[in-house]
Amino acid sequence: MSAPRIAGLMMISDTAAKDMIRKGSDNRGMPGFGPAEITDTELNNLVSWLRNNCGMGMMGSCPAPARPAGTEVKVDILDADPWYTDKGVDNTNDPYDDVRRVVLGANQYMTLTNTGKTWHTMTNGAVGKDSGFVGYAGKMGAGTGYYYADQATGLAAGCVRYQCKLHPYMQFEVCTSGNQPAQLTKASKNAIGTPAVGGSGEVWVNTQSQHESGSDTVDGAMQVINASNWSIKNYVANVGNNPHNAWSGKDGSGNTVTLTANWHDNTATLIDGNTKTVLNTKPVGAAAAHVQVSPGAVERWFVTIMGGVAVQEVDVSKLRAGQDPNVGVPIRGEFSPHGMWFCDDGDHFLTANTLASTVSLYSANQKKQQSFVSTGGVAPLATSVFSGYGTGGCTRAYSNNAGTASVSVYDINPTAGTIARNTTAIPAAIRDASGNLKLRDTSIYPVRWVHLPIQSPASPADATTHGRYMVTANKASFNVSITALDSQGTPTAIYTFPSGLGAHGANFGRKALCDSGNPNDVCYYAYVTNTFENYISVFDLEKVAASGVPGSANETVHLDGYGAQALCGQASCDVAITTFCPDCRSGAHAGDVPLQTTVTGKYTYLKEEVWLDPLQTDVKLDLDLKIDTGAQGIMVAPAPRPWP
């Protein structure tokens, strides 16, 4: 294999080189890397190596890494599921002939090549293995980046799950010589009917893994639900490359448009909000993740660039016209910004910086990060703001912590441009040792089991028939957590309700008619996507306070394979949802809305912790989960308050 294409130092000083590596380039061709990815010591060593080994640094002049001894087993990283594939080259050793599970023989090593269009990694922090960012940053060609992993030092012994730390649903397993993979379990919550009462407006769903034919090499579509009757109003095909998150608003001419960030690429795609047709796709930065529009009379559009250290403002009118849409240089901050949320003032916004485990406060008007703070947890992916409270609706905010099953609460001073984590406001009964909201609690009965909480928005301020709630989508525990908030946005109680497997995105839309029957009342549904199901789930916030007791949910989960055999003694069976979510309640889960399917029978591999109530413990299961639609982001048009 030829040498990797690495830029040398050319005619710049070591100090300038370090500054560029930290900040990235103004033209977005090279993302920046914070200390969470490259420590100061590693940065010094990197620049020294470049200086000593790459000369004046023409592209491709750096020496290639040494190839390990033994026989090569090639594994490709893909933008489309199944994400990682050995193409069957290990079938002699693999009893299941599963391309997502690499079974190595003696004297074999693995070459991992990124064939996709943005950064990907091979990471398992628990065993101390991390390839670092491999591959494409917007300038190099796909398939350029590669990584060698030998069995002595590059891989952990046994059968070990690795994932992309930017895109954690991308997982595969590597078994070192002498080890065999376990049998898989297929799991899916059985859908219930659609809600009895309609909603208002349109619900847009990022069906990130959907494609139109088996030959598609790039995944991604958008589905638009008519909330009044829960039908699929529009199916927008071929939207970008894994469109992850979107928002709706107006362009400079007053046209309604939707902008989506393509997480497996360096692009964003603009869709006409009326005709539901794709208008244009243009580069904005590596691993573009989330989009939001500033609330207020003048709408400004921003995209987080998770593969770097920046947020990028975008001119959607230029994007519509096929021009470079990037407004000025990237607004630099902490490393790996993912989810973002605006304050009511239309100026300040927050980002969750996943790999740095921090949250940043930005000023859009000043085009700078004003401050940042540790979350006190691990892997924040989303932020939200308790709108309508305090100065410009910019006083109380939240972020999830996927790695520690918690939510952090923040106090913001927009005048001073500061943000601080509040570790004392949460009641002790639902507060963890770090001062965060404790979504998971195995010390109570029934157990409150939450795994991988993701988006956690706070409900709009204008509801008249119910209180305010934070809705947290929990990726790997068949549930959502709905947290009651007092008048200052402080959590007071946690309710758990059933959801599909892979709960990820969450947003709010008005019910067509509140339970009071008064057309002047305002009440809300919460909408939640389920990545590993072919439906979204709907929750009625009017029903939360009067919901059933913990453990009263009567929904079911369908199992095939190992899990069914272990729990039911047969190859396939249905079990109670409380098997996996012991404290799931009845009452507020109003219904599941089916999505349109195209290519079906697609599955992805995950190995995650699952609670098994009959055993009163959690276990790690090798899971085989459907990824036909792969829904992740969700938005409502028109957007709820504070958006116009």
Side-chain angles (χ1 to χ4, degrees), residues 303-323:
V303 180
T304 57
I305 308 303
M306 193 184 184
V309 294
V311 177
Q312 180 62 54
E313 184 172 3
V314 171
D315 184 330
V316 292
S317 294
K318 288 186 176 180
L319 180 52
R320 174 189 279 269
Q323 302 169 5

Side-chain angles (χ1 to χ4, degrees), residues 20-60:
M20 178 170 285
I21 292 169
R22 281 283 183 248
K23 294 181 178 179
S25 61
D26 286 351
N27 68 359
R28 293 162 295 279
M30 175 182 167
F33 294 93
E37 182 62 22
I38 302 176
T39 66
D40 288 342
T41 298
E42 289 171 336
L43 181 59
N44 290 334
N45 292 339
L46 172 62
V47 170
S48 177
W49 184 87
L50 289 169
R51 180 71 69 194
N52 294 329
N53 291 277
C54 302
M56 296 306 292
M58 296 301 292
M59 290 294 287

